[in-house]
Amino acid sequence: LVSRETKAGDTLIQVGEVTIGNGHLTIIAGPCAIESETQAITIAGYVKKAGAHLFRGGAFKPRTSPYSFQGLGEEGLKILAKVRERTGMPVVTEVMDFPTFDQVEHYSDVLQIGTRNMQNFSLLKRAGESYRPILLKRGMAATIEEWLMAAEYIMAQGNHQVILCERGVRTFVHHSRNTLDLSAVPVVRKESHLPIIVDPSHAAGRRDQVLPLSRAAVAANAHGLMVEVHHQPEKALSDGAQSLYPDQFDILCRQVTDIFAVS
Ligand code: PEP
Ligand code: MN
């Protein structure tokens, strides 16, 4: 189902008034985690003004350490709903497990499955029964074939609204958190009709690489970007080092819009 051989043309995914897929450049932005209503509303104001189409923010966070901030849970979901109400931007948030699935599905416009859950097959099957579009991140050590098969799990249950997201793979380097595999973009575009976006923030792990990687992703014909932005990154409860300041995000939006226009 994921293959171009099974479908003519490209899949377009409609989220409210936003269309994701060929011919569109969709920018998703927001903090790594929802920390408070004030934090979320403040950042949402900045990213909307800069040109973001969707707002992101984790309520359930898959943290490496159990002692790190785990997210606000349902309170975070309610804040996301408020952001949508205030700004009109649809919201994207991660769904981590079965027990919280219905809750996340209720509050969020797009459900994200993170890199650590890309091969959580029971979660993928549940996502396949969802009425929401699924943003499926590439596993940090997954081949493109494995990633597309994970999308197939979702589609096989009847949900054909899948957005793929390249977010970097694990390599031996120390100059970035992961290594952005931009070659995934042309390969996926060739093999599949599904939209593919790029997350330069989790790929880089540091904000100085986010702008150049974003430009490169759009030049490579990605259908969009997902970028972490924080108004006070030094105080962020997660991923502050890779979060852009609002003025940097503003520059990013202008530059990638120009690149999209000429490509
Ligand atoms: C995220 O986008 O919030 C996230 C945790 O990303 P990843 O699953 O790619 O690490
Ligand atoms: Mn993050």
Side-chain angles (χ1 to χ4, degrees), residues 9 42 68 95 117 125 172 184 187 200 205 214 216-217 220 234 244 247 260:
T42 304
S68 298
V95 60
N117 270 321
K125 284 181 184 169
F172 53 84
V187 173
S214 299
E234 52 294 322
L244 295 186
D247 58 338
F260 179 69

Side-chain angles (χ1 to χ4, degrees), residues 32 56 61 177 202 228 238-239 242:
C32 181
R56 66 146 283 149
K61 295 301 301 176
R177 183 174 170 184
H202 291 90
E228 286 186 344
S238 65
D239 286 349
Q242 69 200 31

Side-chain angles (χ1 to χ4, degrees), residues 65 114 135 146 154 167 170 178 187 205 211 221 229 235 249 261:
S65 164
L135 194 162
E146 288 164 340
I154 299 170
R167 48 78 72 202
R170 179 67 61 86
N178 291 285
V187 173
L211 180 58
N221 277 330
V229 179
K235 289 189 186 160
F249 179 67

Side-chain angles (χ1 to χ4, degrees), residues 90-112:
V91 299
V92 186
T93 200
E94 177 162 353
V95 60
M96 273 180 33
D97 54 26
F98 231 80
T100 59
F101 202 102
D102 291 3
Q103 214 178 48
V104 179
E105 187 178 46
H106 171 74
Y107 287 104
S108 183
D109 299 288
V110 175
L111 310 182
Q112 177 175 323

